[in-house]
Amino acid sequence: MKKWRYASGQLGLTLVSESFGTYLAFFYLEKLGLSAAFYALARTVYAFWDAINDPLFGHLSDRTKTRLGRRRPWLLVGVPLFLLFYLLVFWVPDWARSPQVLPYYFAIGIVLYETMATVVWTNYGALFPEMFRGLSERAGAAALKRGTELFGFILGIAVAPLVYAQVGFLGMALLFAALAFLAFLYFVPGIQEDPKSESSLGLRESFRLVLANRAFWVVALVGLLFEFGRTVIQTGMAFYAKHSLGLPEGATTFLFAAVFLVALPSVFLWGRLAGALGGKRAWRLAHLFMGLGGPSL
């Protein structure tokens, strides 16, 4: 039961985050006519704030002391605001749609959303090592979490075009926020914290240790390139389907569905390769194949 409750939180987070990340550009650029230059500028500011606030909110969460624990207060406040700001990003009233107002509405909306997304993601992730101690227990919980994450990917990315083609982007956001809220309602009562797992490192000392770790820089660089490639393909798919292929908006679902149909069986293949080659070699090989496949797109 504890594993299922924790995994449900992953579903809520993934559903909202992936629909936001995949269709935000299409909504504001294609539907509302926001300047592409301003969109890029605002997203750059968003990215810098994201890089700063992750360690900041993690540090604050580590040092929170209440009768409810450290993570639970942040999640009780953060989850409703996370869903609210997600809705506000896709609910743009008439007064905010003018060329003079829309850029500011967009910039403020995504920064508020990102702030609450960081609060929820950081505290959710920090609960994993506290709730699941043994290696076997962690492996089972991680596998279940990956399953709900994949379900969130399918809904938030592949199914989303069918939804917004029928009910609009606000309707999509309302539906996904409601589903995520139900997932969080199941997750929150299952939160279990370990008061003994407090960090004694200060923020500066934590940065010093991380930045002095060579492996961190390798993983960070590869992760940066991976996320760049994934985000470009993911965000551009709706534009590609409409302007290059001439497909109706709902047809984007079938493009993403094809991707998931190919990806699902490969999970088992890479699982076997990781067992045969070791996690590190399989990780390198996977990124190599992704890099080789990128130019063909």
Side-chain angles (χ1 to χ4, degrees):
M1 183 65 70
K2 180 172 66 171
K3 294 176 182 178
W4 279 102
R5 285 187 179 276
Y6 185 80
S8 67
Q10 182 71 45
L11 172 61
L13 282 165
T14 303
L15 176 58
V16 170
S17 299
E18 293 303 320
S19 58
F20 172 89
T22 306
Y23 299 106
L24 180 73
F26 188 74
F27 175 57
Y28 274 89
L29 298 179
E30 186 73 21
K31 299 297 184 180
L32 301 183
L34 180 67
S35 162
F38 187 87
Y39 178 89
L41 175 62
R43 289 288 287 183
T44 301
V45 173
Y46 170 102
F48 275 110
W49 172 231
D50 186 23
I52 294 171
N53 66 22
D54 281 340
L56 174 63
F57 284 119
H59 177 75
L60 293 174
S61 176
D62 282 343
R63 278 149 184 76
T64 297
K65 294 182 179 181
T66 72
R67 62 183 182 83
L68 295 176
R70 292 176 296 164
R71 320 299 182 191
R72 189 179 284 107
W74 288 94
L75 289 168
L76 290 175
V77 174
V79 165
L81 291 177
F82 170 61
L83 297 178
L84 173 63
F85 293 141
Y86 169 70
L87 287 175
L88 289 179
V89 166
F90 287 104
W91 178 72
V92 184
D94 291 339
W95 59 264
R97 295 189 177 219
S98 69
Q100 294 76 25
V101 178
L102 183 62
Y104 299 101
Y105 185 93
F106 171 71
I108 294 171
I110 64 171
V111 168
L112 290 174
Y113 167 83
E114 159 54 29
T115 301
M116 286 303 106
T118 297
V119 168
V120 179
W121 274 105
T122 300
N123 285 277
Y124 174 79
L127 283 171
F128 185 82
E130 295 188 35
M131 292 180 63
F132 309 104
R133 288 297 189 179
L135 183 60
S136 176
E137 188 181 25
R138 286 184 178 179
L144 191 57
K145 185 168 76 77
R146 286 300 181 189
T148 56
E149 181 183 40
L150 181 59
F151 188 51
F153 275 124
I154 293 172
L155 288 177
I157 297 177
V159 177
L162 280 180
V163 177
Y164 69 66
Q166 297 298 318
V167 298
F169 280 90
L170 176 58
M172 177 199 75
L174 285 169
L175 174 61
F176 288 173
L179 292 175
F181 183 71
L182 292 176
F184 286 128
L185 277 182
Y186 185 67
F187 156 65
V188 170
I191 293 176
Q192 297 178 13
E193 298 188 47
D194 183 0
K196 298 180 181 179
S197 61
E198 296 185 6
S199 173
S200 60
L201 290 176
L203 185 60
R204 181 180 299 179
E205 181 64 13
S206 299
F207 267 108
R208 188 188 68 79
L209 290 174
V210 169
L211 296 179
N213 189 323
R214 182 182 176 187
F216 164 79
W217 288 104
V218 173
V219 172
L221 178 60
V222 173
L224 171 66
L225 297 174
F226 170 81
E227 287 299 325
F228 175 78
R230 184 180 77 93
T231 303
V232 168
I233 295 172
Q234 192 171 317
T235 305
M237 190 67 80
F239 295 96
Y240 176 70
K242 181 175 182 179
H243 296 290
S244 296
L245 301 181
L247 298 175
E249 290 180 354
T252 309
T253 288
F254 300 105
L255 294 178
F256 277 120
V259 173
F260 282 112
L261 286 174
V262 173
L264 283 173
S266 72
V267 172
F268 302 100
L269 171 63
W270 285 105
R272 293 182 65 87
L273 284 174
L277 302 176
K280 189 174 181 179
R281 289 182 177 178
W283 179 77
R284 289 173 173 173
L285 186 62
H287 283 89
L288 175 62
F289 276 114
M290 181 179 176
L292 293 174
S296 65
L297 298 174

